[in-house]
Amino acid sequence: MTPKVFRAAVSCVRMLSTEVSKPLYGTVASHSSYVFLHSNEPSSEFPVKISTVIQRELQLRTMKLGTIVNFTWTGSPPNLPADKAVATVFSRSGGRLELPEVSLENVNDVEEILKAHIQREHATPETQEETHLYVCTHGARDCRCGEHGSEVARLLREEVERRRIGHKLKVREVGHVGGHKYAANLLIYPHGEWLGQLRAIDVPQVIDSILTRPTRPFRDRDPPILPDHWRGRMGLGKDEQISIFEEFRNRRNT
């Protein structure tokens, strides 16, 4: 082992043993929609930084709409060339949208489709039949995501299979979402809920909490899913996330 690799390993061990003492809530970047580009390889195998021409172009065009563009591993690689992609989109107002092909040739049309989806007043019922769980397992970006995230993703899949609820819950992996120190990070859509600092022991409770709630984009007054691990929600700024959580906590304590 080279000195550089040894230092990196020691640093990773130290980070894995460190828990975050600051509140989790209010740590999600404000966004009104999230685009997941399907990857040909697991996010656990992503390089430190991953980007494609399509991802950069789509992010540039939709940034003003409050959209985040990332990569996900669904377990079934689309096996498309680098200049094409399949995408799953979630917005606070429109729910889920599947895009069978995104390319530089049709990016203008895709941009208009995304605008219309984000501006919908209500999600259509068929977009609310499934809950998609995205766990950050981007270990090359931060070892905590690789260690904690990979374990949580594996156990979520096992628990979903054990309960035979794969038709309701889809477990995915995702690239860097921001907040390595909050690993394992879990994004729940169409709800738009973000959870952090999850461990193996939390997996059954995560699934129980999701199954007791409606499958739709959450609004301001919806109570957080798993409050002790709640980072924030799609469609809310950081100050709004803090305000909603503190209001919920005050109601719970009265």
Side-chain angles (χ1 to χ4, degrees):
M1 181 182 293
T2 66
K4 183 177 181 180
V5 172
F6 177 77
R7 287 194 298 271
V10 171
S11 176
C12 185
V13 170
R14 287 174 178 169
M15 287 190 295
L16 287 171
S17 64
T18 302
E19 296 293 336
V20 179
S21 58
K22 294 182 179 180
L24 287 172
Y25 58 89
T27 60
V28 173
S30 178
H31 65 291
S32 61
S33 57
Y34 209 114
V35 176
F36 295 93
L37 298 175
H38 296 202
S39 171
N40 286 328
E41 61 180 3
S43 53
S44 58
E45 299 178 12
F46 287 175
V48 175
K49 293 186 178 181
I50 179 170
S51 178
T52 64
V53 174
I54 294 176
Q55 183 265 339
R56 291 192 297 270
E57 182 66 21
L58 204 55
Q59 185 66 81
L60 181 65
R61 288 169 174 259
T62 60
M63 189 176 300
K64 59 183 177 294
L65 301 174
T67 299
I68 298 174
V69 183
N70 201 350
F71 295 91
T72 184
W73 167 251
T74 67
S76 300
N79 292 321
L80 292 174
D83 60 346
K84 297 183 185 299
V86 174
T88 300
V89 184
F90 295 93
S91 75
R92 195 183 191 200
S93 55
R96 190 178 94 246
L97 171 69
E98 298 291 345
L99 297 175
E101 182 176 312
V102 181
S103 67
L104 293 181
E105 286 72 24
N106 72 354
V107 70
N108 290 329
D109 294 335
V110 169
E111 182 181 4
E112 293 305 313
I113 291 171
L114 289 176
K115 285 181 181 178
H117 182 66
I118 292 169
Q119 294 168 359
R120 288 181 64 96
E121 292 186 3
H122 303 287
T124 56
E126 61 268 21
T127 71
Q128 302 181 43
E129 296 173 353
E130 301 172 352
T131 296
H132 291 226
L133 311 180
Y134 295 90
V135 186
C136 179
T137 60
H138 197 165
R141 190 68 180 262
D142 191 282
C143 64
R144 289 167 289 190
C145 299
E147 182 75 15
H148 298 314
S150 295
E151 181 182 39
V152 167
R154 175 179 60 82
L155 293 175
L156 280 170
R157 289 192 182 96
E158 291 177 359
E159 187 70 7
V160 166
E161 183 177 358
R162 185 185 70 81
R163 300 191 191 194
R164 298 181 180 179
I165 52 175
H167 60 292
K168 293 182 178 180
L169 303 185
K170 308 295 182 181
V171 181
R172 317 298 197 194
E173 297 179 30
V174 68
H176 171 62
V177 299
H180 314 301
K181 59 187 176 183
Y182 306 126
N185 287 295
L186 171 64
L187 283 55
I188 306 169
Y189 287 96
H191 309 67
E193 298 285 85
W194 287 38
L195 305 181
Q197 285 199 312
L198 294 174
R199 298 293 182 266
I201 195 173
D202 301 312
V203 167
Q205 188 180 8
V206 167
I207 292 179
D208 289 341
S209 299
I210 292 170
L211 292 177
T212 60
R213 306 294 289 277
T215 306
R216 58 166 173 76
F218 276 14
R219 303 304 179 193
D220 293 0
R221 298 306 172 190
D222 284 311
I225 286 180
L226 221 60
D228 290 343
H229 294 274
W230 193 74
R231 288 190 56 189
R233 178 175 298 164
M234 174 174 61
L236 300 176
K238 293 188 177 183
D239 289 342
E240 293 173 303
Q241 295 167 28
I242 293 171
S243 176
I244 285 176
F245 184 87
E246 291 181 343
E247 182 179 337
F248 164 78
R249 183 179 58 189
N250 292 337
R251 290 200 309 267
R252 184 175 60 176
N253 293 337
T254 56

